[in-house]
Amino acid sequence: MTGTPSDIEREIEEARERLAGTIDQLLYRSHPKTIVGREVAQVKAHYVDVETGEPRTDNILKTVGIVVGVIAVGVVLRKITS
């Protein structure tokens, strides 16, 4: 583990560079625009096939069904309570 002072200084400088790179990555990943872009890409990938660009009709139909169901339940509950 012992080394010359120049070896130790070199190791310290390498560690500093690695830490600086890690901090830069963390700052990039935690930036709000990066987070929004990542989430938008994730939602798009859910509804559009990334490789072909074709819409994923199964996921689209599931979402439409859920929205229609929620609206129907809201309408029924409103009529019941009125």
Side-chain angles (χ1 to χ4, degrees):
M1 185 75 189
T2 61
T4 64
S6 62
D7 289 341
I8 295 172
E9 287 176 1
R10 181 181 44 79
E11 289 177 12
I12 290 172
E13 187 57 36
E14 289 172 357
R16 282 184 184 148
E17 289 176 14
R18 284 192 307 271
L19 286 172
T22 302
I23 290 171
D24 289 342
Q25 286 178 347
L26 289 172
L27 287 173
Y28 174 76
R29 289 180 183 178
S30 64
H31 194 274
K33 286 185 179 180
T34 304
I35 294 170
V36 168
R38 194 171 46 235
E39 293 301 317
V40 167
Q42 186 176 2
V43 169
K44 282 183 182 178
H46 186 72
Y47 292 106
V48 178
D49 190 342
V50 178
E51 296 174 1
T52 64
E54 295 291 320
R56 293 183 171 178
T57 54
D58 57 333
N59 289 342
I60 294 170
L61 291 175
K62 288 177 193 174
T63 303
V64 169
I66 290 170
V67 169
V68 169
V70 168
I71 291 172
V73 167
V75 168
V76 168
L77 288 176
R78 185 175 237 172
K79 287 191 179 210
I80 290 173
T81 58
S82 296

